[in-house]
Amino acid sequence: MFQLFTDTDCDMTPADCAKYGYKLISMPYSVDDATIYPYEDFDVYDPHAFYDRLRGGVLPTTSALGKERYKAYFEPVFAAGSDILYVHFSAAMTATFNSMQQAWDELKVKYPERKLYTVDTKGITVICRNIAIEIGELYKQGRTAEEILAWADREVDHYAIYFFADDLKFFKRSGRVSGLAAMMGTLIGVRPIIHMNDEGKMVSIGKERGRVKAMERIVQYVEDLGDDIKAHPIVIGHTDAPDIAAEVLAMLREKFGDDLEAEIIAVNPTAGSHCGPDGVGISFHAVHR
């Protein structure tokens, strides 16, 4: 017996978790010295209200989840006699998973028969969602933890994400993207093109001047790298830019057909704190990242 876990940085909501059998860990962000835990401090996420605050000059911060919080999530499951399989965002991006390891080091002494399995998606937001949904389907089919881990070992690096940001100041402040230094300054209208590499890090791989060029470029990556596109989910994420996301979906369907299945979702506020409003990205199954 094992229980699935995921976190809000994977763009999974309570409704998604109920559908696939996950328990949800809330990753915090802070605004005006108040720390907010998504879906614990609020029930319904209002992306427009959140990103409008960023447009108005608010610069949120994020912080690692503490050891005691992890223990509070995990211990009731271990105490009930279940193991845990946790599908999480990139461990290369945060110290959060040091806290998780500390929690596990303590809990495994108390529950020596229990196991904690982890799947590092080596991504954030929609790429994590893509992987988490695929794993959720395997879980519903009755696959074992070992079978899911084997699937993840083969497949995680075949899920790609390419996205663009609208305003460099959010990434500049977070410092989580390598290769942006040359673009900083007063480059009006420049949108960095960013992806998650196979180390689980955000890397700037170029820039485009203008939103249309940025949209065309990320769609081109799907065309160039896509692997059996119609057999796997496509997830388009946006930071309060639903119209732009809809345009990107129309561009994809023009290339791959009107029967292309894809969903459009709003990026969670914790991850959105780093990229700011009006960005769009695509996650898809790829020959490589």
Side-chain angles (χ1 to χ4, degrees), residues 100-119:
M100 182 193 75
Q101 185 61 49
Q102 292 168 12
W104 171 230
D105 287 343
E106 294 184 14
L107 289 169
K108 67 185 177 182
V109 174
K110 190 172 181 180
Y111 304 97
E113 295 182 354
R114 300 277 61 83
K115 295 179 181 178
L116 172 64
Y117 306 99
T118 60
V119 173

Side-chain angles (χ1 to χ4, degrees), residues 26-181:
S26 182
M27 293 296 169
Y29 63 96
S30 297
V31 177
D32 297 332
D33 298 322
T35 299
I36 302 164
Y37 289 86
Y39 303 112
E40 293 183 5
D41 293 329
F42 57 75
D43 294 326
V44 178
Y45 171 41
D46 184 343
H48 178 65
F50 173 75
Y51 288 108
D52 247 12
R53 293 189 71 185
L54 273 58
R55 291 185 183 100
V58 169
L59 291 174
T61 59
T62 60
S63 56
L65 202 65
K67 176 186 71 175
E68 295 304 319
R69 282 239 170 203
Y70 271 112
K71 289 174 67 176
Y73 285 119
F74 289 165
E75 185 162 15
V77 176
F78 290 140
S82 289
D83 297 331
I84 288 172
L85 193 157
Y86 177 20
V87 183
H88 60 74
F89 75 102
S90 176
M93 296 181 67
T94 176
T96 287
F97 299 107
N98 294 333
S99 299
M100 182 193 75
Q101 185 61 49
Q102 292 168 12
W104 171 230
D105 287 343
E106 294 184 14
L107 289 169
K108 67 185 177 182
V109 174
K110 190 172 181 180
Y111 304 97
E113 295 182 354
R114 300 277 61 83
K115 295 179 181 178
L116 172 64
Y117 306 99
T118 60
V119 173
D120 185 347
T121 62
K122 297 194 282 188
I124 198 164
T125 75
V126 291
I127 185 174
C128 308
R129 178 181 175 83
N130 223 341
I131 294 168
I133 286 174
E134 292 272 40
I135 288 175
E137 293 288 359
L138 295 174
Y139 182 72
K140 288 167 66 176
Q141 293 167 18
R143 301 294 183 90
T144 66
E146 290 76 15
E147 287 174 325
I148 291 174
L149 291 173
W151 178 91
D153 189 56
R154 294 191 307 270
E155 291 292 331
V156 162
D157 286 338
H158 287 288
Y159 282 86
I161 179 173
Y162 288 84
F163 61 99
F164 63 84
D166 193 67
D167 191 330
L168 299 179
K169 70 182 178 185
F170 295 95
F171 277 129
K172 182 177 182 180
R173 187 179 188 211
S174 75
R176 278 178 163 80
V177 182
S178 62
L180 277 180

